[in-house]
Amino acid sequence: MVRFLPFLISLALSVYALFSCIQTPEEDVPHLPKLVWIVLIVFVPFVGPIVWLLMLRLQHGRRERAVRPPAPGGRPAAPDDDPDFLKSLDRYRDPRTTVKPPEPPKEPEAEQDDQPKPKPQDENTSSEPDDGKT
């Protein structure tokens, strides 16, 4: 059983690398044409598939670094830190559960102009009408 292990590892590695090479688009194949890579993977056990996988990994690493846009410096890192985002959420709030700020008190002069001022009553006089009965 142990003597078949290198063969099985080589076969699995070759099959994985072969499928990887076939599925890779032509413009993403590193350094050599795709047909040359397929021949190397099939006819050079261990070395062909390992070289293919390493070259493909290096190629993807370079491309990701070049394509990744720089992080914007002035923007907040999370949406809950962004005031514009938080303002946009106001339209989704339920007005029944939103606490409204208290209204400012009205000026007393404006109330006096609209309504007549009640007359102050004496302590001896009552507010009930006097019909002569005591």
Side-chain angles (χ1 to χ4, degrees):
M1 175 77 178
V2 176
R3 63 184 180 163
F4 292 118
L5 194 59
F7 172 73
L8 291 176
I9 292 173
S10 174
L11 181 66
L13 192 60
S14 296
V15 168
Y16 178 78
L18 186 62
F19 278 104
S20 173
C21 182
I22 290 171
Q23 291 178 349
T24 303
E26 191 70 41
E27 62 270 0
D28 292 341
V29 176
H31 304 291
L32 298 172
K34 189 185 269 191
L35 186 60
V36 175
W37 278 114
I38 292 173
V39 169
L40 282 173
I41 291 169
V42 171
F43 291 113
V44 182
F46 282 112
V47 176
I50 291 174
V51 170
W52 162 257
L53 294 173
L54 289 176
M55 295 302 276
L56 188 66
R57 184 173 179 164
L58 291 174
Q59 176 101 1
H60 283 301
R62 285 188 202 127
R63 189 173 353 115
E64 285 180 6
R65 272 187 258 134
V67 172
R68 185 178 301 154
R75 300 281 303 172
D80 59 342
D81 294 337
D82 188 2
D84 295 331
F85 175 75
L86 294 174
K87 287 178 188 173
S88 73
L89 293 178
D90 284 340
R91 63 181 157 172
Y92 298 111
R93 287 207 175 118
D94 187 5
R96 296 172 292 179
T97 61
T98 306
V99 177
K100 295 180 181 177
E103 294 182 12
K106 295 181 181 178
E107 295 180 15
E109 295 175 6
E111 290 179 10
Q112 290 176 0
D113 294 340
D114 295 340
Q115 298 174 354
K117 186 176 177 184
K119 295 180 182 178
Q121 295 181 353
D122 241 10
E123 291 179 16
N124 297 337
T125 62
S126 67
S127 60
E128 298 177 10
D130 185 23
D131 51 342
K133 299 176 186 177
T134 27

